[in-house]
Amino acid sequence: MTKLIAIIGVLIFITHSSSCSGQNFKNRTVIGEENAKQAIKEAIKNKAKPFYDTLIKTKETAIAMAEPILFDIYGKKEIINERPYECYLIDGYWYISGNLPKGWHGGVFEIIISSKDGQVIKLIHGK
């Protein structure tokens, strides 16, 4: 029994020390990278039909999903300067683009996201 407790303790320590950087897992139960790898393998292998018909149902959710991607690629300041965004749901796809103030010249981002599964179909930024 003592040996089992020691093994569990070591596993918890290893899991905590190898988890995502920048996050604090103190006093948290962590599933661990090996379990995550297994979950990914099974999900890809089984490709089960999702329990939902449409993942992204609202304009707010579409924008909330797009912004972190855009911020990482083009910079938060650049993208925020293109607000307010145009955002339309067309044939099951969210079209979101930036805007420039009248008289300004340059390009804006354009992102198209599947409302069904959140897949990014297109992502560009004009010059």
Side-chain angles (χ1 to χ4, degrees):
M1 180 73 168
T2 306
K3 194 173 186 178
L4 179 61
I5 293 172
I7 291 171
I8 292 172
V10 169
L11 289 173
I12 291 173
F13 174 77
I14 290 170
T15 302
H16 284 285
S17 64
S18 67
S19 58
C20 298
S21 63
Q23 297 187 59
N24 182 356
F25 289 99
K26 187 177 180 179
N27 298 321
R28 306 299 267 175
T29 302
V30 178
I31 294 176
E33 186 174 354
E34 287 306 313
N35 285 327
K37 286 179 184 177
Q38 186 62 34
I40 290 170
K41 282 181 187 177
E42 297 224 2
I44 291 170
K45 183 176 86 176
N46 295 333
K47 287 254 183 168
K49 184 177 183 207
F51 61 90
Y52 53 83
D53 291 331
T54 302
L55 182 63
I56 307 170
K57 296 179 181 181
T58 67
K59 180 185 295 191
E60 292 77 17
T61 302
I63 290 170
M65 287 187 69
E67 278 189 326
I69 297 166
L70 295 163
F71 292 168
D72 281 349
I73 295 171
Y74 302 114
K76 186 173 183 176
K77 184 179 176 185
E78 173 80 22
I79 299 304
I80 288 175
N81 284 336
E82 296 180 23
R83 286 180 179 165
Y85 310 135
E86 289 187 59
C87 186
Y88 309 104
L89 178 59
I90 302 169
D91 296 331
Y93 294 91
W94 286 100
Y95 173 91
I96 308 167
S97 71
N99 281 290
L100 292 175
K102 288 187 187 264
W104 283 35
H105 297 284
V108 295
F109 76 84
E110 180 179 84
I111 187 168
I112 299 174
I113 303 172
S114 168
S115 66
K116 182 176 182 178
D117 60 14
Q119 181 179 4
V120 175
I121 306 301
K122 180 179 181 181
L123 174 59
I124 62 168
H125 197 293
K127 297 192 185 274

